Amino acid sequence: SVCSHIAPDKMVEWVGRAQDRDESVKEEFRQQLRWIDSLYISSNPIPTKYALKAKGVIATDEVRLPLVPMSQDLKDQQAVAFRDFKGLI
């Protein structure tokens, strides 16, 4: 899962709870969809690399051709999507 690059501990927790048939994990995961969906606003791995850079995990969001960096507009959209999820970025 692409979102596991951004929140690996949370993904492990959610999958474990789902395997244990914990119904509450559905709503908790659903509440996260805004930032998860933002990882698909451009071709992967472009948004994921930008998020990892913003999080301080990697030094650059540089991509190789034929990929190109995300536009500033998309970067702004992704920042807004992550804004309400403290600790992710």
Side-chain angles (χ1 to χ4, degrees):
S1 168
V2 173
C3 57
S4 67
H5 293 288
I6 307 303
D9 295 340
K10 267 314 224 189
M11 288 303 301
V12 168
E13 176 193 332
W14 290 329
V15 168
R17 287 172 51 201
Q19 289 174 331
D20 292 340
R21 304 202 189 295
D22 177 349
E23 292 291 322
S24 68
V25 75
K26 290 179 189 177
E27 183 57 32
E28 188 176 332
F29 184 79
R30 205 170 294 131
Q31 292 171 2
Q32 307 294 314
L33 288 177
R34 192 167 71 230
W35 73 264
I36 292 170
D37 287 345
S38 80
L39 298 174
Y40 299 96
I41 60 176
S42 183
S43 298
N44 268 308
I46 299 167
T48 304
K49 288 190 78 168
Y50 180 72
L52 288 170
K53 179 182 178 231
K55 191 174 178 176
V57 174
I58 60 176
T60 180
D61 61 342
E62 185 177 323
V63 293
R64 293 183 285 171
L65 291 174
L67 300 174
V68 295
M70 262 196 326
S71 68
Q72 188 59 51
D73 180 55
L74 290 179
K75 289 177 180 181
D76 293 343
Q77 286 179 43
Q78 190 176 52
V80 167
F82 273 88
R83 183 175 42 213
D84 295 333
F85 301 97
K86 307 294 183 225
L88 288 176
I89 291 186

